[in-house]
Amino acid sequence: MSTGRVQIYYGDGRGKTSAALGCAIHEASREESVIIIEFLKKKDSDEIAFLSRLEPEIKVFRFQKTDCYYDELDEQGRDEEQMNMKNGFNYARKVLQTGECSVLVLDEILGLVDKQIISEDDLIRLLDLRSEDTDVILTGRVLSGRLYDYADSVYEICMKKA
């Protein structure tokens, strides 16, 4: 059962999303409701497309519209996608305010802080909205010190050998 904890999976290694999704699947198998919101990903990620088959136990949302990675876009494309990602961030706020799920996965949200699309304070204020019945899982490459201190569990994912 959820305990209102914040878990973070971060680092340069592969597997952050997979680890978060593993937690999501585990909780869904225990009849907990799970919502996943993706950020900074290409439109047709095979991993997330597969998870859409697990609805209604796991609901997957993506607010970006492009087929490219954010860093591949021109300035106008980035501006448009920033608005879309902020809509996703606002949806996460609504989910936490209404207690819509037991587990909320914010995939690659740390990248929004790193790219200054949202501030670290924005993310901490969002996390403060969670109830004691809602766990939140964050993923991304770069983790700031304040978020590290804020989290209940932090997992650094790195490659040791190629």
Side-chain angles (χ1 to χ4, degrees):
M1 183 133 203
S2 297
T3 58
R5 297 177 53 85
V6 174
Q7 293 181 29
I8 298 177
Y9 295 92
Y10 83 102
D12 288 331
R14 296 178 52 93
K16 298 175 291 291
T17 297
S18 298
L21 298 179
C23 291
I25 290 169
H26 175 74
E27 292 302 315
S29 74
R30 297 174 60 206
E31 299 185 10
E32 299 287 350
S33 59
V34 177
I35 292 178
I36 299 169
I37 303 174
E38 280 192 311
F39 300 95
L40 298 170
K41 299 250 182 166
K42 289 174 79 167
K43 187 174 184 181
D44 292 320
S45 171
D46 292 337
E47 195 170 62
I48 300 300
F50 173 78
L51 283 179
S52 67
R53 292 189 240 166
L54 298 176
E55 288 189 10
E57 289 82 4
I58 297 177
K59 297 177 185 167
V60 182
F61 296 93
R62 184 179 189 287
F63 290 81
Q64 291 157 248
K65 307 292 184 218
T66 184
D67 292 330
C68 301
Y69 288 108
Y70 177 79
D71 290 336
E72 297 171 346
L73 299 172
D74 61 21
E75 186 175 342
Q76 180 182 354
R78 278 191 220 122
D79 289 344
E80 290 172 10
E81 288 296 36
Q82 284 181 19
M83 284 184 29
N84 294 334
M85 287 184 277
K86 286 179 182 178
N87 287 337
F89 184 79
N90 288 331
Y91 179 66
R93 180 179 290 119
K94 176 191 164 281
V95 166
L96 290 176
Q97 287 173 329
T98 61
E100 195 172 326
C101 65
S102 303
V103 179
L104 176 62
V105 177
L106 300 174
D107 189 28
E108 292 298 335
I109 196 157
L110 298 178
L112 270 61
V113 174
D114 188 44
K115 295 180 183 307
Q116 299 177 351
I117 297 168
I118 62 169
S119 72
E120 182 180 55
D121 288 335
D122 291 335
L123 184 50
I124 288 172
R125 279 192 296 271
L126 175 75
L127 295 171
D128 285 339
L129 295 173
R130 76 189 184 288
S131 72
E132 63 184 36
D133 297 328
T134 304
D135 289 346
V136 181
I137 302 172
L138 314 176
T139 71
R141 291 190 177 277
V142 179
L143 177 62
S144 68
R146 284 184 52 219
L147 284 169
Y148 180 91
D149 292 339
Y150 187 90
D152 297 293
S153 303
V154 176
Y155 302 89
E156 183 176 8
I157 310 295
C158 62
M159 181 175 20
K160 296 290 186 181
K161 185 176 180 180

